[in-house]
């Protein structure tokens, strides 16, 4: 399968490229990204055959259908990384919380967030491709807290790859920050910047497309790529768990094969939701995808009005920092898929220059056929966390936003909902402790211990050990200094 450009072709880049090319250089003409030229189509028979497949078997067959240019051995090695999740036989538990609400837990990997679902195998695939080509890569990652740790974890000590991770100073939880600043492998560099996540992501996109920066790297025989979900190598792995979660409901007799469900996704850069959108297009019986946001509710307004409006907006710090995003990258792939490259280029360029765009009525109708959206304030989130805990379910603040969307977005109450839990509560313990006790906790470690007692659970060792590790990554700099700091690291 080939990949084509969301904003059309500039006459210099190739019109269509392979998967391996798309993951090695993810930016396309006019600042666009790559999207699949077509998608595989799965019949109910395919789904029926996989009701009892384990995660890796399903993943292998879905990836095979994409016909990507990665050899079987590499894919098998990449998928074997799911064996390192809490339960190798079931890396994605799907838990019934209410009669018609199931939570698919995507956070059972090494860094306790859903980013591991894609970044674990992606890291393996990308470094294998780099090694086969005998090329060296610098991988940039901008993070609002979870991509960073997951990218560092997957690439540490990998051959032919160095990683620079940018995060907003003060924009992450203690645990998220410790996961990054205690990494000590020689091929990893973590940089904290004065600014918010959008600043970090914009800096990343500017570097990816900067001729000067790319030329500087070329002289050192290094090429540049990115670990964010602009990279389709992430998205492909994020189609699989939507199918898997659906099949789990069928297997456990919660739905009949073919019965439609709602997917409900806590969204930031829209990678997770895009995976659900592709799964639906590939034939998964999904009625609609519900997009949950926090008070940074650009996506809610976009889906409800067709206006993507960043004018006079600033990122608000919330208790679900992984969703503190205004410029949601993967909306571009939806626009491209629904309205084509010319229109996407026009809309995205308008967003760059005028900070907003407005869809037509007809376009909005298409969007709303597939998506509905709502947002959840921090206070509402605390309430949802408390309520779910009364039903014996402990969840993170990102997952809580789904519970609001579950309350407000369903139009057919007879259908079941699969909501996605994107992080383990341990990464945001002061918020959870506040929801459960009403008290404020300044330090993650105190909150962790408190919850562990109240809920009578043990805390994952990957989290506890962070508090005793040495801090090795200390750079905190201005946006303007990023390029120089990276070049210093490389030499
Ligand atoms: C990354 C992340 C999200 C947002 O996912 P997108 O794919 O960027 O929309 C939500 N919750 C958590 C915990 C995350 O780490």
């Amino acid at each position: 399968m080939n990949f084509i450009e969301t904003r059309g072709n500039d006459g210099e880049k190739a019109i269509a490229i392979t998967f391996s090319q798309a993951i090695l250089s993810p930016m396309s003409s006019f600042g666009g990204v790559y999207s699949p030229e077509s998608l595989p189509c799965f019949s109910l028979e395919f789904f029926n055959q996989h009701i009892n497949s384990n995660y890796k078997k399903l993943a292998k067959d879905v990836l095979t259908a994409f016909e990507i240019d990665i050899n079987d051995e590499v894919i098998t090695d990449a998928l074997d990384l799911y064996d390192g999740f809490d339960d190798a036989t079931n890396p994605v538990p799907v838990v019934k919380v209410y009669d018609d609400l199931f939570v698919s837990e995507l956070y059972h990997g090494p860094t306790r967030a859903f980013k591991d679902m894609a970044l674990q195998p992606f890291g393996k695939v990308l470094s294998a491709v780099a090694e086969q080509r005998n090329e060296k890569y610098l991988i940039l990652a901008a993070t609002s807290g979870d991509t960073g740790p997951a990218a560092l974890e997957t690439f540490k000590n990998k051959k032919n790859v160095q990683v620079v991770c940018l995060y907003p100073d003060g924009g992450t939880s203690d645990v998220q920050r410790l996961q990054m600043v205690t990494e000590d492998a020689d091929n990893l560099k973590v940089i904290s910047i004065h600014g918010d996540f959008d600043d970090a992501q914009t800096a990343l996109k500017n570097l990816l497309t900067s001729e000067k920066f790319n030329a500087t790297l070329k002289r050192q025989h290094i090429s540049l790529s990115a670990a964010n979900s602009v990279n389709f190598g992430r998205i492909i792995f994020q189609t699989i768990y939507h199918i898997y979660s659906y099949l789990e409901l069928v297997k456990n007799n919660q739905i009949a094969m073919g019965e439609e469900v709602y997917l409900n996704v806590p969204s930031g850069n829209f990678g997770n939701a895009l995976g659900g959108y592709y799964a639906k297009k590939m034939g998964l019986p999904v009625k609609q995808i519900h997009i949950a946001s926090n008070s940074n509710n650009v996506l809610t307004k976009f889906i409800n009005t067709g206006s993507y409006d960043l004018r006079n907006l600033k990122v608000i710090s919330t208790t679900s920092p992984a969703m503190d995003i205004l410029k949601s990258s993967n909306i571009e792939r939806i626009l491209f898929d629904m309205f084509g490259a010319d229109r996407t280029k026009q809309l995205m360029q308008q967003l760059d220059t005028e900070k907003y765009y407005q869809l037509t009525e007809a376009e909005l109708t298409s969007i709303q056929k597939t998506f509905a959206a709502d947002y959840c304030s921090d206070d509402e989130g605390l309430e949802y966390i408390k309520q779910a805990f009364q039903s014996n379910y402990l969840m993170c603040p990102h997952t809580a936003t789904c519970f609001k969307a579950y309350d407000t977005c369903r139009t057919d109450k007879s259908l079941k909902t699969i909501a996605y839990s994107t992080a383990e509560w341990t990464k945001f313990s002061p918020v959870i402790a506040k929801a459960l006790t009403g008290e404020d906790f300044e330090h993650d470690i105190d909150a962790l211990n408190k919850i562990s007692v109240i809920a009578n659970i043990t805390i994952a060792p990957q989290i506890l050990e962070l508090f005793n590790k040495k801090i090795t990554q200390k750079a905190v700099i201005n946006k303007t200094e990023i390029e120089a700091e990276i070049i210093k690291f490389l030499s």
Side-chain angles (χ1 to χ4, degrees):
M1 171 178 305
N2 281 326
F3 289 79
I4 51 178
E5 304 169 288
T6 52
R7 300 187 195 180
N9 185 260
D10 63 6
E12 283 179 25
K13 285 195 151 65
I15 303 253
I17 61 174
T18 64
F19 177 77
S20 60
Q21 288 167 328
I23 65 172
L24 292 173
S25 36
M27 297 304 286
S28 66
S29 303
F30 310 113
V33 293
Y34 287 98
S35 271
E37 195 164 27
S38 60
L39 289 168
C41 229
F42 297 121
S43 59
L44 284 189
E45 197 186 316
F46 174 92
F47 296 131
N48 262 320
Q49 281 164 357
H50 285 85
I51 293 176
N52 291 309
S53 297
N54 63 30
Y55 195 87
K56 287 199 292 183
K57 165 79 176 131
L58 174 71
K60 183 83 202 301
D61 289 352
V62 171
L63 293 175
T64 303
F66 268 96
E67 297 178 1
I68 53 178
D69 61 333
I70 303 295
N71 67 40
D72 263 8
E73 212 174 296
V74 171
I75 291 194
T76 303
D77 283 353
L79 296 178
D80 280 346
L81 291 167
Y82 291 121
D83 293 345
F85 282 46
D86 290 339
D87 178 354
T89 63
N90 185 17
V92 181
V94 181
V95 179
K96 184 174 191 163
V97 177
Y98 304 137
D99 279 345
D100 59 356
L101 176 63
F102 298 80
V103 176
S104 171
E105 297 181 345
L106 303 175
Y107 59 73
H108 289 274
T111 70
R112 319 314 287 166
F114 102 100
K115 302 299 192 288
D116 289 328
M117 290 305 303
L119 277 165
Q120 280 282 303
F122 171 74
K124 177 79 209 174
V125 170
L126 195 135
S127 52
V129 172
E131 219 182 316
Q132 279 162 10
R133 295 173 159 235
N134 203 14
E135 290 171 352
K136 281 198 203 138
Y137 277 85
L138 171 65
I139 315 286
L140 298 181
T143 185
S144 56
D146 288 328
T147 292
L152 297 168
E153 178 66 30
T154 195
F155 286 117
K156 75 177 169 200
N157 299 320
K158 284 266 189 344
K159 281 190 201 151
N160 295 45
V161 173
Q162 288 171 293
V163 178
V164 169
C165 171
L166 305 171
Y167 76 95
D169 192 38
T172 69
S173 76
D174 282 356
V175 166
Q176 289 174 315
R177 183 176 45 81
L178 287 172
Q179 285 180 320
M180 294 186 277
V181 299
T182 58
E183 283 287 5
D184 57 4
D186 287 342
N187 68 329
L188 308 178
K189 172 79 182 172
V190 177
I191 300 173
S192 174
I193 62 161
H194 299 298
D196 56 36
F197 172 73
D198 284 325
D199 293 324
Q201 178 154 270
T202 302
L204 173 142
K205 285 190 178 172
N206 289 342
L207 287 172
L208 280 175
T209 48
S210 157
E211 280 178 22
K212 176 170 153 273
F213 185 61
N214 277 281
T216 309
L217 294 184
K218 265 268 135 60
R219 284 196 291 278
Q220 304 188 40
H221 307 284
I222 297 173
S223 307
L224 193 57
S225 186
N228 284 75
S229 55
V230 293
N231 198 315
F232 199 84
R234 289 260 308 264
I235 304 295
I236 199 167
F237 290 106
Q238 290 178 198
T239 59
I240 300 159
Y241 53 71
H242 294 287
I243 301 174
Y244 180 80
S245 303
Y246 181 91
L247 294 179
E248 280 290 293
L249 293 201
V250 176
K251 182 165 102 188
N252 295 314
N253 296 316
Q254 301 295 332
I255 53 173
M257 177 59 82
E259 188 175 326
E260 287 190 315
V261 297
Y262 290 118
L263 303 181
N264 184 330
V265 188
S267 297
N269 250 335
F270 218 77
N272 195 353
L274 180 71
Y277 172 80
Y278 287 142
K280 176 169 164 44
K281 280 200 73 164
M282 292 189 287
L284 195 69
V286 173
K287 173 82 174 171
Q288 215 182 23
I289 302 169
H290 295 157
I291 303 303
S293 298
N294 61 27
S295 296
N296 295 291
N297 57 2
V298 204
L299 290 172
T300 311
K301 289 192 185 147
F302 172 62
I303 289 164
N304 288 321
T305 68
S307 158
Y308 203 106
D309 194 348
L310 299 173
R311 289 170 299 185
N312 307 316
L313 272 194
K314 272 201 130 138
V315 178
I316 304 165
S317 285
T318 72
T319 53
S320 43
M323 295 152 69
D324 290 351
I325 295 175
L326 297 175
K327 279 193 202 157
S328 181
S329 286
N330 282 297
I331 291 294
E332 174 158 0
R333 288 192 168 106
I334 300 285
L335 297 178
F336 172 70
D337 196 75
M338 288 189 174
F339 315 127
D342 289 346
R343 181 65 173 152
T344 303
K345 181 177 172 208
Q346 188 184 34
L347 293 173
M348 294 312 296
Q349 289 189 337
Q350 194 184 353
L351 188 65
D352 279 342
T353 53
E354 294 170 45
K355 304 268 176 264
Y356 92 107
Y357 61 76
Q358 170 74 51
L359 299 181
T360 64
E361 273 304 311
E363 288 167 342
L364 179 58
T365 304
S366 316
I367 293 273
Q368 290 179 342
K369 201 160 174 280
T370 305
F371 298 103
D374 201 359
Y375 74 99
C376 177
S377 72
D378 283 356
D379 283 345
E380 289 171 316
L382 289 177
E383 241 352 272
Y384 281 110
I385 291 168
K386 195 167 142 193
Q387 233 177 57
F389 186 63
Q390 283 158 2
S391 298
N392 285 319
Y393 194 67
L394 201 52
M395 65 182 172
C396 91
H398 306 77
T399 313
T401 65
C402 293
F403 280 57
K404 169 81 180 287
Y406 159 80
D407 270 348
T408 59
C409 291
R410 289 172 301 149
T411 45
D412 182 346
K413 299 261 161 100
S414 72
L415 300 184
K416 308 272 197 304
T417 294
I418 300 172
Y420 291 94
S421 182
T422 44
E424 188 175 67
W425 64 271
T426 53
K427 294 186 97 168
F428 308 95
S429 54
V431 186
I432 314 308
K434 166 114 189 163
L436 304 190
T437 67
E439 293 166 44
D440 286 313
F441 288 79
E442 197 183 331
H443 299 292
D444 283 27
I445 188 71
D446 300 330
L448 281 164
N449 290 329
K450 181 85 184 179
I451 299 161
S452 139
V453 172
I454 301 178
N456 190 23
I457 39 178
T458 49
I459 295 159
Q462 298 97 318
I463 298 291
L464 281 182
E465 71 198 16
L466 287 172
F467 294 92
N468 301 319
K469 276 193 177 168
K470 191 163 163 244
I471 292 178
T472 50
Q473 306 270 0
K474 294 184 177 151
V476 186
I477 62 173
N478 289 319
K479 286 185 279 187
T480 49
E481 299 159 346
I482 294 172
E483 189 170 329
E485 186 74 21
I486 296 177
I487 288 169
K488 201 167 84 191
F489 162 65
L490 293 175
S491 53

